[in-house]
Amino acid sequence: MKFTPLAIAQPLTSSSQVNTSTEVDVKKDENKFNWFEQWYPAAPEYDLDKRVPHAFTVSGLDIVVWWDKKEQTWSVLDDSCPHRRAPLSEGRIDEDGDLQCSYHGWCFGSKGECKYIPQAPSDGPPVHTSKRACARVYPSLQQQGIIWFWPNADPLFKDIALEKKPPFIPVLSDPSFPATLSMRDVPYGYEILAENLVDLSHVPYAHHGLFAQTDIGSTKSGSVKNDRRAGRPLNLHLQNLDKSGFQGKQEQGSVSFAAPCVIVSDFTFKPKKGMKFQTSISGAEEEKKSTIFLMFICVPVSPGRSRLIWAFPRNFALWANLLLPRWLTHIQENLFLDSDLYLLHLEEHKLQEYGQRNWEKACYVPAKADLFVVAFRKWLKQYASSGFPWGEKHFNGSLPPTPPKAQLMD
């Protein structure tokens, strides 16, 4: 079975057309990436209670996500009531299905229109119809179990979903690869999160013991298991890098980055004795191999903070999906985030001393094992202003202070 984890660009016909060295070679390119004209995920739908509004911060924007039972759709509004700027996420869904502000009772529909102002006389002018009474509404849609929104409330983008949609991740729609979406905020920025997720060589050290009994990142002599000596050269290849992201090959599969959020890696290996597998969605007979996808969606939240949405679709050990409760899976998967959380937080603070555009001066990356990390940093510098432009969102870009480790890990 040929897997296509994520289609972001047509691969080049010859690998020689791509600079696969670990040098960050940057050329002037007017085709710059616009951070604020992209779809961003708010949250997986599975975890949202339709009876209450939910507050999130995404790319520096405070938003409220709520279910409009009349329209049978999720709505994303600016988390600020136009009356006195109280957070709408602290409100309620009223008996009529409208979002009601908890401060003075103003009510809003899914398009941001003000439905009712209790303090306005019924025989007076219809002040609720004023544009100033409306809440800012962001274009939004639900795709593959995730609620996405467009971070620009300008009416010009009202129908942006007709022109451009979020990245489609084929494996999330393949019943042969069941998976559950999870989400967590982490105390380091988007750039650190994304580069860490394309870094294969840190696994036997930063996640020591957590990949026991798997073949992911295995040596020629066997699986990593608990051996911290499993580090070795990696045979990685960069196939394509442009404004939309990059694609590459690793020894057991591929890696795709669809800018700015989605990273998908796949690993295929021979199944162990007695391991069950399923065929593809087409139902065709496939070679008996086990495949797992590591699907990550990286969300910038604010300077020094990001959000990760993840799923690990696989075609083996499917019994675990039926027998293991979700809370147990949640605990197990979070061990991976916990194991390098503190060092990544501190790493970001040390990198800030060099400046946002000086990553290649701060870091010495001579080995090919760092190829995808370098590719991500090259994408940032060549196309995307070297990182998320917090200055355009009224942040100065400074990182929050480091609390005690116990507090950071809580």
Side-chain angles (χ1 to χ4, degrees), residues 15 25 31 62 88 153 179 234-235 238 263 269 324 337 407:
S15 59
D25 179 25
N31 193 21
D62 294 325
L88 291 172
L234 296 179
N235 189 18
L238 186 64
I263 297 171
F269 48 93
L324 297 182
L337 290 174
Q407 181 180 338

Side-chain angles (χ1 to χ4, degrees), residues 104 171 200 229 292 295-296 339 353-354 363 378 385 404:
H104 294 91
V171 71
L200 304 178
R229 297 168 298 175
I292 184 170
M295 192 285 299
F296 302 110
S339 57
E353 298 173 7
Y354 291 86
C363 301
K378 182 176 181 179
S385 307

Side-chain angles (χ1 to χ4, degrees), residues 138-365:
Y138 295 103
S140 61
L141 58 83
Q142 190 272 358
Q143 178 177 288
Q144 296 185 292
I146 301 171
I147 299 166
W148 299 78
F149 86 105
W150 188 268
N152 193 324
D154 191 307
L156 290 173
F157 297 103
K158 181 180 67 171
D159 299 317
I160 188 63
L162 299 177
E163 303 175 20
K164 181 178 181 179
K165 284 185 167 55
F168 182 81
I169 305 168
V171 71
L172 288 184
S173 297
D174 189 338
S176 302
F177 289 81
T180 300
L181 291 164
S182 299
M183 179 175 70
R184 176 178 171 178
D185 282 20
V186 289
Y188 45 84
Y190 156 87
E191 294 83 4
I192 297 295
L193 174 63
E195 80 167 25
N196 186 56
L197 294 174
V198 297
D199 176 14
L200 304 178
S201 62
H202 80 287
V203 172
Y205 305 99
H207 304 301
H208 171 66
L210 297 179
F211 263 118
Q213 308 306 317
T214 74
D215 289 324
I216 296 176
S218 63
T219 63
K220 292 182 178 179
S221 60
S223 63
V224 169
K225 296 187 177 181
N226 291 312
D227 191 356
R228 283 196 174 97
R229 297 168 298 175
R232 62 184 177 84
L234 296 179
N235 189 18
L236 309 180
H237 298 279
L238 186 64
Q239 296 175 297
N240 185 80
L241 189 152
D242 58 25
K243 186 178 73 168
S244 66
F246 66 81
Q247 294 174 316
K249 287 288 185 182
Q250 43 92 1
E251 294 170 3
Q252 294 168 295
S254 63
V255 176
S256 298
F257 166 58
C261 297
V262 181
I263 297 171
V264 179
S265 302
D266 68 90
F267 298 84
T268 299
F269 48 93
K270 291 182 179 180
K272 296 180 179 180
K273 186 177 180 180
M275 185 177 288
K276 303 294 184 181
F277 76 102
Q278 289 192 357
T279 56
S280 67
I281 190 172
S282 66
E285 290 296 326
E286 302 290 346
E287 185 179 354
K288 291 186 177 181
K289 291 185 178 180
S290 298
T291 299
I292 184 170
F293 288 84
L294 308 185
M295 192 285 299
F296 302 110
I297 303 180
C298 309
V299 186
V301 174
S302 60
R305 194 161 192 86
S306 56
R307 180 172 302 122
L308 179 62
I309 299 172
W310 73 88
F312 302 140
R314 64 184 187 277
N315 66 348
F316 59 91
L318 301 184
W319 57 267
N321 297 343
L322 301 175
L323 296 182
L324 297 182
R326 189 166 184 250
W327 61 265
L328 179 58
T329 303
H330 179 77
I331 291 174
Q332 292 172 333
E333 292 177 348
N334 271 277
L335 291 175
F336 288 90
L337 290 174
D338 289 340
S339 57
D340 58 8
L341 182 148
Y342 189 60
L343 70 88
L344 291 173
H345 172 86
L346 295 180
E347 175 189 321
E348 181 172 35
H349 280 257
K350 294 179 183 298
L351 283 173
Q352 190 182 47
E353 298 173 7
Y354 291 86
Q356 189 177 41
R357 298 188 61 83
N358 295 318
W359 180 86
E360 72 276 13
K361 295 180 180 179
C363 301
Y364 178 53
V365 284

Side-chain angles (χ1 to χ4, degrees), residues 91-143:
R92 58 187 284 267
I93 310 299
D94 69 9
E95 295 76 9
D96 296 323
D98 296 323
L99 177 59
Q100 183 182 73
C101 180
S102 63
Y103 197 16
H104 294 91
W106 286 33
C107 295
F108 302 90
S110 60
K111 296 179 175 59
E113 74 278 19
C114 182
K115 295 286 194 70
Y116 178 57
I117 299 179
Q119 297 78 18
S122 58
D123 57 351
V127 291
H128 70 284
T129 61
S130 169
K131 289 184 178 180
R132 295 196 61 189
C134 297
R136 287 166 55 91
V137 59
Y138 295 103
S140 61
L141 58 83
Q142 190 272 358
Q143 178 177 288

